[in-house]
Each structure stands twice: as C-alpha cells, then as structure tokens.
C-alpha cells in the first residue's frame, strides 16, 4: 500500500493512492491558516474507521443473506488535550434501514467487524476505546 501526498498551498494537501489514483483533499480551517476546503487528517482517520467497518458489515450481511436498504455510520471522536492529541474516545452509530431487520444480527455483525476484521479499529483501539450502537430506522 502506497500513497503520495502533495502540498497545494497554505495548509492544503492532496492525497493520492498510487494504485488506484483516487484522491482526497485535506486542509484545515481558516482560523488555523488553511482555506477550509478539505477534511482534516484526523477527520480522515474517523472516515477510514467508518469505511473499514462499513465494508466489513456490508460483506458479512451479504454472506448472511441479510437484506437492508441503507447504512449510515456516524463517528465522533474525542482527542487528548495535549500533543500529539490522539483520539481518547470514539463513539459510532450504525443506522440501518430496511424491513424485518433483527437488531441482534446487526449487532453481532458490527461486533465482529470492530473486534476482529477492521484493521483501522484494531489500531485505534490501542489509544481510544471504541463504543458503538446499532439503530434501525
């Protein structure tokens, strides 16, 4: 796995996957000398957690033949007050939509992702406890 990150001015950077050539823009707010035109690197980490776990959840539910119409994952992180300001607490809400969804089956799937398969969760659990819940719309 390899990425290139290029400075594009002020506090802005473009990150690119060497393999897929997909890009993401990172920046910071105007009050931190940026333009506010991208996501912060720490927001990217939370997005990575949600994306990693979300991919696991979708894959596991497909294997279990559990049909659902939608999945939204909201992630909030609290950071330490001193540098390097790592995440100390992370809360995730997995909101599913669909008919005849069973809460226990969804919870078992999320637990499996976060405890076993999601490598981002594996890393973040070393500094922050990840709490989560499942909601059915």
């Amino acid at each position: 796995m390899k990425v290139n990150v290029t400075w594009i001015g002020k506090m802005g950077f473009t990150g690119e996957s060497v393999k897929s050539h997909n890009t993401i823009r990172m920046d910071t707010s105007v009050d931190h000398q940026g333009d506010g035109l991208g996501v912060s690197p720490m927001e990217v980490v939370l997005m990575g957690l949600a994306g990693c776990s979300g991919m696991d959840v979708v894959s596991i539910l497909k294997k279990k033949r559990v049909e659902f119409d939608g999945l939204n994952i909201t992630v909030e992180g609290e950071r330490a007050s001193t540098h390097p300001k790592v995440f100390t607490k992370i809360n995730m809400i997995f909101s599913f939509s669909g008919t005849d969804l069973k809460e226990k089956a969804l919870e078992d799937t999320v637990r499996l992702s976060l405890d076993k398969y999601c490598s981002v969760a594996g890393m973040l659990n070393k500094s922050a406890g990840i709490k989560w819940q499942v909601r059915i719309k």
Side-chain angles (χ1 to χ4, degrees):
M1 195 173 291
K2 185 176 180 180
V3 300
N4 283 321
V5 176
T6 304
W7 178 58
I8 55 175
K10 289 190 181 179
M11 293 298 213
F13 289 84
T14 300
E16 178 182 20
S17 164
V18 170
K19 184 176 180 179
S20 70
H21 301 289
N22 290 314
T23 62
I24 186 169
R25 183 175 178 143
M26 294 175 283
D27 200 352
T28 190
S29 61
V30 175
D31 59 333
H32 287 100
Q33 303 174 358
D35 288 322
L37 298 175
V39 293
S40 76
M42 292 302 278
E43 288 171 327
V44 173
V45 171
L46 294 180
M47 290 178 187
L49 172 61
C52 178
S53 182
M55 289 178 197
D56 291 340
V57 167
V58 168
S59 176
I60 294 165
L61 290 176
K62 283 184 179 183
K63 289 176 185 170
K64 291 182 174 183
R65 292 180 168 43
V66 174
E67 295 197 22
F68 60 98
D69 298 328
L71 170 58
N72 181 72
I73 306 165
T74 302
V75 185
E76 284 188 78
E78 288 184 29
R79 295 175 66 188
S81 58
T82 57
H83 289 287
K85 297 186 180 181
V86 298
F87 286 114
T88 56
K89 294 180 185 175
I90 297 174
N91 292 308
M92 303 179 75
I93 300 172
F94 292 78
S95 298
F96 293 88
S97 59
T99 55
D100 299 324
L101 294 174
K102 307 291 186 242
E103 189 169 351
K104 181 169 181 347
L106 299 175
E107 288 176 347
D108 290 347
T109 299
V110 170
R111 185 175 294 106
L112 189 59
S113 168
L114 293 175
D115 291 349
K116 183 173 182 179
Y117 292 114
C118 178
S119 52
V120 179
M123 287 189 297
L124 288 174
N125 263 324
K126 295 187 184 313
S127 67
I130 299 174
K131 293 186 178 181
W132 56 271
Q133 62 180 305
V134 166
R135 291 185 181 161
I136 300 173
K137 297 180 183 181

